[in-house]
Amino acid sequence: MSTLKQLKTSLFLVALSVAINAPAALTDISNSPLITGVSTTVQPNIFLMMDDSGSMAWDYMPDNSNSPYFGTGTYGYASNQCNGVFYDPTFTYAPPVTSTGTSYANSSFTAAPVDGFGASTTTTIDLSAHFSLGQYTDTSPTTSGGGAAYYYKYTGAQNTEALRNFYNSSGTFFKECNSNVGSTPGSGVFTKVTVGAASGPGGTDERTNFANWYSYYRTRVLMMKSSAGLAFKPI
């Protein structure tokens, strides 16, 4: 073996020996949960990732080839039974919060911002007179025509996740949701509710709740912004 090869081999063996015998660094492990400690501050270590693709502007979920599973002429589009983004009367839609934790104002039923996070001059809509389905384009909403805000209440039996199968077009769930308004089997399990002063559960006024949904939760991205802010507020 040449002198150069011997030198290289010796250096490699020395380096390997040092690496093998190097002691592990000491780690200070707390004897009590850090969350209950009073003297140790644990900095947040959270990675939040959001989808910013064009589909986040849609007001329906899920989608089928970039289209809603159930069109605007069906019961399914205007019911949370079939459309995962649509208004749910049993849920309280709280206004989102700012970066300081301050709550946004409740939306107005007669002047609901199309984008609740927009500038102060954002377009508003009178939900008592000009509501229509498919208003997910925030830049050019339909603020005329339409009618009073409404949704379809479901009273059928397809209530479990196993039964709510979007991929089985021959299933009861799919047929109910995909029924054109006025047609069976949807007409037997969906009832139209016009939003008003006594249309909510137990005869309650749900106009503000519906307006909050419209301004802060109506599309995928609005829902994500609102829910993320509220989830992070306590920390």
Side-chain angles (χ1 to χ4, degrees):
M1 183 182 295
S2 66
T3 302
L4 180 59
K5 287 185 178 180
Q6 287 178 327
L7 178 59
K8 287 182 178 180
T9 302
S10 298
L11 290 174
F12 171 76
L13 292 174
V14 170
L16 181 62
S17 175
V18 171
I20 292 175
N21 293 286
L26 296 177
T27 301
D28 183 16
I29 300 177
S30 176
N31 293 319
S32 60
L34 295 178
I35 194 172
T36 61
V38 295
S39 60
T40 304
T41 300
V42 181
Q43 297 299 321
N45 184 19
I46 299 173
F47 183 82
L48 174 65
M49 182 172 64
M50 283 183 59
D51 181 1
D52 64 352
S53 64
S55 62
M56 290 296 284
W58 296 345
D59 62 352
Y60 52 83
M61 189 169 65
D63 55 277
N64 183 16
S65 300
N66 296 330
S67 298
Y69 263 90
F70 314 114
T72 55
T74 67
Y75 287 105
Y77 201 107
S79 174
N80 70 292
Q81 163 70 4
C82 316
N83 180 351
V85 185
F86 208 79
Y87 176 73
D88 181 352
T90 66
F91 185 83
T92 300
Y93 293 91
V97 295
T98 67
S99 59
T100 63
T102 303
S103 178
Y104 279 75
N106 280 319
S107 182
S108 167
F109 189 68
T110 56
V114 175
D115 179 359
F117 295 95
S120 58
T121 57
T122 187
T123 303
T124 62
I125 186 171
D126 182 355
L127 295 172
S128 70
H130 300 303
F131 174 77
S132 61
L133 301 179
Q135 296 178 330
Y136 57 83
T137 305
D138 294 340
T139 56
S140 57
T142 302
T143 56
S144 60
Y150 68 93
Y151 60 90
Y152 288 105
K153 181 179 179 180
Y154 181 73
T155 55
Q158 306 300 299
N159 294 316
T160 67
E161 292 305 314
L163 292 173
R164 296 172 68 181
N165 188 340
F166 288 86
Y167 306 102
N168 180 12
S169 59
S170 62
T172 301
F173 165 78
F174 192 99
K175 289 180 178 180
E176 290 177 347
C177 292
N178 201 44
S179 296
N180 289 324
V181 174
S183 300
T184 57
S187 59
V189 292
F190 287 103
T191 304
K192 185 176 182 179
V193 177
T194 300
V195 179
S199 63
T204 56
D205 188 341
E206 62 179 341
R207 289 176 295 182
T208 297
N209 199 43
F210 190 93
N212 280 345
W213 164 79
Y214 184 90
S215 297
Y216 300 122
Y217 297 87
R218 185 184 77 263
T219 66
R220 298 178 186 185
V221 70
L222 289 176
M223 178 177 61
M224 190 64 188
K225 287 179 180 180
S226 298
S227 57
L230 291 170
F232 277 89
K233 180 182 177 180
I235 57 174

